[in-house]
């Protein structure tokens, strides 16, 4: 190790803070969505469809940064549980169009309210919420900017 390198202590490392927050946030959403039988990835797919119904699998994937190999089984489970209906596109049969069912439409406001009520337990004021979300988007953008770099050579 170079003499002029001062290692960061474990509690000072951003990666540890993000990792721990991610683990806790995942558990938070597992509990929050349990009454609806939804996983967090299923929830975010539904959120995309609640914003704009009748999207292709690829369009949903672009919005939530998931590939079709991950989305297909997720959407299959949503369909099995009555949340969405998947059909082949009439224009291009290679594409699968996903649309909300009556169940999904009728449960939207209830689920949004439940998630909001659970998030309120975090005691974020509006500014802290916006700043925290912005910091996460900034971190994501910075990580995307170095994607493809040979980090092992650094």
């Amino acid at each position: 190790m170079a003499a002029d390198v001062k290692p960061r202590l474990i509690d000072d490392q951003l990666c540890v803070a993000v990792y721990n927050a991610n683990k806790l946030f995942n558990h938070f959403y597992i509990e929050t969505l349990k009454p609806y039988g939804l996983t967090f990835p299923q929830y975010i797919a539904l959120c995309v469809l609640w914003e704009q119904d009748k999207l292709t699998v690829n369009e949903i994937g672009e919005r939530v940064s998931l590939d079709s190999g991950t989305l297909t089984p997720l959407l299959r489970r949503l369909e099995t549980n009555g949340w969405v209906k998947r059909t082949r596109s009439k224009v291009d049969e290679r594409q699968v169009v996903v649309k909300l069912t009556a169940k999904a439409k009728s449960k939207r406001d209830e689920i949004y309210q439940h998630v909001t009520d659970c998030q309120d337990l975090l005691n974020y004021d509006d500014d802290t919420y916006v700043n925290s979300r912005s910091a996460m988007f900034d971190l994501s953008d910075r990580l995307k900017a170095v994607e493809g770099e040979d980090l092992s050579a650094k």
Side-chain angles (χ1 to χ4, degrees):
M1 180 183 292
D4 60 343
V5 173
K6 182 179 179 195
R8 291 190 185 190
L9 299 175
I10 192 78
D11 290 339
D12 295 335
Q13 294 196 31
L14 178 60
C15 61
V16 173
V18 171
Y19 176 77
N20 287 333
N22 183 54
K23 271 190 348 184
L24 291 167
F25 214 60
N26 285 339
H27 181 72
F28 174 84
Y29 269 94
I30 287 169
E31 293 301 314
T32 298
L33 298 169
K34 190 183 285 186
Y36 305 99
L38 294 170
T39 64
F40 181 68
Q42 290 170 338
Y43 168 71
I44 61 173
L46 284 174
C47 286
V48 169
L49 291 164
W50 284 326
E51 289 179 14
Q52 183 182 348
D53 198 3
K54 297 179 187 168
L55 295 173
T56 66
V57 172
N58 289 339
E59 290 169 327
I60 296 168
E62 288 173 11
R63 291 288 313 276
V64 296
S65 300
L66 293 174
D67 60 45
S68 63
T70 302
L71 266 177
T72 298
L74 178 156
L75 293 168
R76 186 179 306 122
R77 286 189 303 276
L78 281 174
E79 184 173 41
T80 298
N81 294 321
W83 293 98
V84 300
K85 178 74 176 148
R86 297 176 306 145
T87 56
R88 292 265 169 212
S89 169
K90 291 180 174 130
V91 177
D92 182 350
E93 290 209 4
R94 295 172 297 175
Q95 293 187 336
V96 174
V97 176
V98 183
K99 68 180 209 169
L100 296 167
T101 62
K103 172 186 174 177
K105 291 175 184 177
S106 72
K107 290 284 190 183
R108 184 194 74 177
D109 292 346
E110 177 185 336
I111 292 172
Y112 275 150
Q113 186 61 57
H114 181 73
V115 169
T116 298
D117 291 346
C118 290
Q119 286 177 346
D120 287 347
L121 296 172
L122 300 175
N123 294 317
Y124 270 112
D125 60 50
D126 290 343
D127 288 340
T128 304
Y129 180 89
V130 168
N131 291 337
S132 296
R133 192 185 73 227
S134 294
M136 290 299 102
F137 283 135
D138 178 64
L139 177 59
S140 293
D141 290 344
R142 290 169 185 268
L143 290 167
K144 286 177 192 170
V146 298
E147 205 167 29
E149 293 279 332
D150 183 4
L151 300 177
S152 65
K154 297 289 179 201

